[in-house]
């Protein structure tokens, strides 16, 4: 656009002071010297990344600067003149480092975060270098092909039917949103209403039934999709936080058999508990309800012969959400939505436009057809690389090792006076009771201040508890010993 305008100026032969520069001044010259800068800067960046990751084994986990402190150092007016590449990188590294959380390392147990295995990290750097748009084959055959293959591998590992569609989304929040959008389309179509054309105006009311311990992203997905909080009917859970199937049966019988969606969970974010997908699946079939499974991290149990029984029955669901960036240890952001009916999935999500080459009537769906974004990072490369480097046995070992470390942490803490483990450690999540709410909050602050490990607190069933999620490939036994010591120290400090 700017070049066109300046050509017009040149043609008119009367450039004015405010006119755009002549076209030649806007055309870049020789790129090669810049390429040499890029090569040396990327080598520096690679060295920095490797040193940073090696340092994670021993470094403090808690950052030394707060958001406000980092911002304070950064704050200046946007300079008029640009800076040279090496200067940009060194300013970036210098200013960011004090505010980095060592969440990629082995002693970060907050939320459910995971690290990144080397192959996935390298693939993600290549993804950035290649800068491919993961929309369709016309934009990048490789991006879509790698999603096709990585998607098949994921379905195989996660016991999802091979005929299911796969969308590579930002994370489980997006996966839940897309799964529920597909569900909304299908249950309404079964009742003669096309939500794609008419929206929710004039639609029969949809019942959405979920466990009282569902993840909060389900609520946000429902809000975004226009269901409203009142659509949600909650089912009580058992002692470890799994949905109680008898309570689900009662809830289903209590209401109408209109359009119904059930949201089950594989892996409770506090306790790791699994809903009974076999019983929930048969209730869903009986009531012609759509069953969506939120398996952000827990679905990975399917990939381990030791834990796969926890997800028995999952084959009977209609959609499944899962994360790559949590337990598969792919860099952020990486999630997956699987749907048993590719046509429903694509009808709910895909769009088309005149200029979209490759979008023909009998085309193979993929890429942008199964996600909410239009232009998008090519997420298949990093997932493919993680799976290729770990192999089937490596994924199973990662799951088994993290779960064994969680059990070890629970056992070792069980020996500490004043500590109770209130959940049944069925997977990788450990809840830690150290005292009343005020004391627990003090212990949490002391742990984070101490900085050798990082964990947060949660409120589960009215009790304030510390919470540890073990989902990093590099965590080992020594990290667990250090964690037990850190909790002991924090309890002593909080008692003073
Ligand atoms: C983390 C999590 C989510 C949300 O996943 P994001 O990757 O943060 O979008 C949803 N459900 C469960 C059970 C989770 O653990």
């Amino acid at each position: 656009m700017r070049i066109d305008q300046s050509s017009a100026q040149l043609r008119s032969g009367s450039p004015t002071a405010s006119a755009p520069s002549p076209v030649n001044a806007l055309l870049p010259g020789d790129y090669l010297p810049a390429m040499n800068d890029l090569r040396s800067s990327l080598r520096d960046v690679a060295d920095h990344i490797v040193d940073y990751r090696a340092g994670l084994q021993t470094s403090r986990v808690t950052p030394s600067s707060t958001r406000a402190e980092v911002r304070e150092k950064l704050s200046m007016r946007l300079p008029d003149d640009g800076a040279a590449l090496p200067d940009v990188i060194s300013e970036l590294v210098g200013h960011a480092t004090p505010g980095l959380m060592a969440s990629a390392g082995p002693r970060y147990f907050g939320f459910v975060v995971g690290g990144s295995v080397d192959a996935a990290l390298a693939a993600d750097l290549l993804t950035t270098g290649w800068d491919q748009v993961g929309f369709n084959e016309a934009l990048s055959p490789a991006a879509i092909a790698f999603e096709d293959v990585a998607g098949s591998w994921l379905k195989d590992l996660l016991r999802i039917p091979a005929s299911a569609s796969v969308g590579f989304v930002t994370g489980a929040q997006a996966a839940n949103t897309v799964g529920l959008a597909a569900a909304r389309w299908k249950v309404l179509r079964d009742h003669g209403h096309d939500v794609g054309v008419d929206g929710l105006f004039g639609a029969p009311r949809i019942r959405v039934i979920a466990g009282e311990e569902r993840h909060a992203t389900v609520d946000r997905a429902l809000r975004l999709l226009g269901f409203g909080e009142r659509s949600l009917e909650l089912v009580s859970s058992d002692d470890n936080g799994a949905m109680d199937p008898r309570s689900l049966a009662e809830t289903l019988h209590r209401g109408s058999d209109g359009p119904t969606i059930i949201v089950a969970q594989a892996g409770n974010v506090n306790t790791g508990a699994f809903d009974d997908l076999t019983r929930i699946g048969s209730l869903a079939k009986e009531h012609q309800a759509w069953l969506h499974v939120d398996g952000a991290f827990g679905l990975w149990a399917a990939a381990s012969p030791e834990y796969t029984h926890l997800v028995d029955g999952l084959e009977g669901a209609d959609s499944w959400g899962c994360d790559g960036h949590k337990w598969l240890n792919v860099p952020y952001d990486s999630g997956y939505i699987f749907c048993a009916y590719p046509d429903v999935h694509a009808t709910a999500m895909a769009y088309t436009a005149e200029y979209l080459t490759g979008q023909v009537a009998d085309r193979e769906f993929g890429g942008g057809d199964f996600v909410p974004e239009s232009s998008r990072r090519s997420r298949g490369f990093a997932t493919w690389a993680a799976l290729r480097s770990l192999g089937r046995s490596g994924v199973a070992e990662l799951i088994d090792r993290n779960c064994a470390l969680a059990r070890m942490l629970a056992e070792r803490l069980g020996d500490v006076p004043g500590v109770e483990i209130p959940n049944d450690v069925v997977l990788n999540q450990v809840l830690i009771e150290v005292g009343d709410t005020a004391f627990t909050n003090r212990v949490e602050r002391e742990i984070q201040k101490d900085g050798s490990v990082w964990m947060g607190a949660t409120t589960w069933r009215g009790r304030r508890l510390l919470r540890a999620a073990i989902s990093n490939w590099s965590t080992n036994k020594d990290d667990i010993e250090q964690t037990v010591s850190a909790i002991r120290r924090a309890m002593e400090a909080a008692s003073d």
Side-chain angles (χ1 to χ4, degrees):
M1 185 63 100
R2 280 169 63 199
I3 289 176
D4 286 343
Q5 279 168 9
S6 60
S7 319
Q9 286 291 349
L10 282 179
R11 272 196 305 276
S12 79
S14 56
T16 60
S18 62
S21 324
V23 64
N24 280 338
L26 292 170
L27 293 175
D30 186 358
Y31 272 121
L32 286 176
M35 281 297 176
N36 287 333
D37 280 357
L38 179 63
R39 193 179 304 280
S40 78
S41 285
L42 286 183
R43 288 199 167 126
D44 290 348
V45 165
D47 282 342
H48 170 77
I49 292 172
V50 173
D51 292 344
Y52 175 77
R53 286 165 67 90
L56 290 171
Q57 305 305 311
T58 49
S59 71
R60 224 180 111 80
V61 184
T62 306
S64 55
S65 292
T66 63
R67 169 188 178 175
E69 286 162 355
V70 174
R71 196 173 46 209
E72 171 73 27
K73 293 237 168 69
L74 269 183
S75 66
M76 58 167 164
R77 230 182 111 250
L78 173 64
D80 287 333
D81 294 327
L85 178 58
D87 297 337
V88 175
I89 309 259
S90 81
E91 275 181 44
L92 171 60
V93 170
H95 287 307
T97 300
L100 295 180
M101 173 71 83
S103 49
R107 288 177 310 286
Y108 181 85
F109 304 116
F111 307 88
V112 185
V113 164
S116 45
V117 292
D118 291 346
L121 162 71
D124 211 50
L125 293 174
L126 284 167
T127 303
T128 302
W130 290 333
D131 198 15
Q132 300 287 287
V133 185
F135 183 72
N136 64 10
E137 183 177 348
L139 276 154
S140 175
I144 307 303
F146 273 74
E147 287 190 3
D148 290 341
V149 172
S152 303
W153 287 357
L154 288 168
K155 285 184 279 183
D156 181 10
L157 277 177
L158 300 174
R159 291 172 52 182
I160 287 167
S163 55
S165 45
V166 190
F168 284 71
V169 289
T170 49
Q173 167 73 74
N176 287 337
T177 309
V178 174
L180 291 169
R184 184 182 67 162
W185 188 87
K186 174 73 162 52
V187 298
L188 285 178
R189 200 206 50 185
D190 289 350
H191 287 78
H193 183 91
D194 186 339
V195 72
V197 174
D198 295 317
L200 288 174
F201 300 107
R205 197 168 184 91
I206 303 174
R207 302 182 70 193
V208 185
I209 304 175
E212 58 183 354
E213 298 199 24
R214 75 211 169 277
H215 195 272
T217 50
V218 171
D219 298 50
R220 174 152 69 177
L222 292 173
R223 263 194 348 257
L224 288 171
L225 293 167
F227 285 92
E229 282 169 20
R230 218 175 312 220
S231 307
L232 197 53
E233 295 174 58
L234 296 184
V235 176
S236 56
S237 39
D238 69 13
D239 290 346
N240 209 35
M243 186 192 280
D244 175 4
R246 276 166 319 184
S247 168
L248 173 63
E250 283 160 22
T251 306
L252 281 164
H253 283 295
R254 235 188 352 258
S256 76
D257 257 348
T260 305
I261 300 169
I262 300 170
V263 184
Q265 179 164 259
N268 177 308
V269 79
N270 282 315
T271 64
F274 285 74
D275 293 353
D276 181 339
L277 298 176
T278 305
R279 289 175 69 189
I280 295 170
S282 59
L283 284 166
K285 291 247 159 14
E286 206 179 295
H287 292 264
Q288 279 112 51
W290 179 288
L291 175 58
H292 174 75
V293 178
D294 174 6
F297 63 97
L299 214 58
W300 287 103
S304 153
E306 195 177 337
Y307 294 93
T308 195
H309 66 276
L310 293 169
V311 297
D312 279 353
L314 84 89
E315 298 86 347
D318 301 292
S319 57
W320 306 261
C322 188
D323 266 321
H325 52 217
K326 287 179 178 173
W327 224 351
L328 184 58
N329 282 253
V330 169
Y332 282 82
D333 45 37
S334 175
Y336 320 109
I337 175 64
F338 306 91
C339 180
Y341 322 103
D343 53 334
V344 170
H345 190 169
T347 307
M349 299 313 295
Y351 75 90
T352 188
E354 295 300 335
Y355 62 85
L356 291 176
T357 48
Q359 302 253 347
V360 290
D362 61 347
R363 75 199 160 95
E364 207 183 338
F365 284 121
D369 297 320
F370 297 130
V371 300
E373 301 90 359
S374 175
S375 303
R376 174 181 62 108
R377 184 173 186 75
S378 299
R379 301 197 178 97
F381 297 126
T383 293
W384 177 88
L387 295 172
R388 181 70 186 85
S389 76
L390 291 165
R392 195 181 292 276
S393 64
V395 175
E397 272 163 32
L398 168 63
I399 303 306
D400 292 355
R401 192 169 63 242
N402 283 167
C403 292
L405 290 168
R407 278 200 309 277
M408 176 186 166
L409 177 64
E411 274 166 30
R412 298 280 287 101
L413 286 171
D415 298 338
V416 176
V419 175
E420 299 275 345
I421 304 298
N423 69 313
D424 183 8
V425 181
V426 293
L427 200 69
N428 64 325
Q429 302 292 109
V430 184
L431 293 176
I432 305 156
E433 183 159 36
V434 293
D436 64 18
T437 298
F439 183 70
T440 307
N441 290 340
R442 282 206 301 281
V443 174
E444 180 195 17
R445 274 196 301 278
E446 291 296 339
I447 291 174
Q448 294 175 7
K449 203 165 80 187
D450 175 90
S452 63
V453 308
W454 201 100
M455 67 179 70
T458 186
T459 300
W460 184 62
R461 312 209 149 169
R463 291 148 93 181
R464 193 72 181 153
L465 306 163
L466 301 174
R467 173 176 166 283
I470 298 173
S471 54
N472 189 300
W473 65 278
S474 64
T475 305
N476 64 28
K477 283 200 303 206
D478 182 56
D479 298 309
I480 300 300
E481 297 297 352
Q482 288 189 53
T483 304
V484 175
S485 307
I487 292 173
R488 281 177 180 273
R489 275 198 306 279
M491 287 174 70
E492 275 160 32
S495 310
D496 292 343

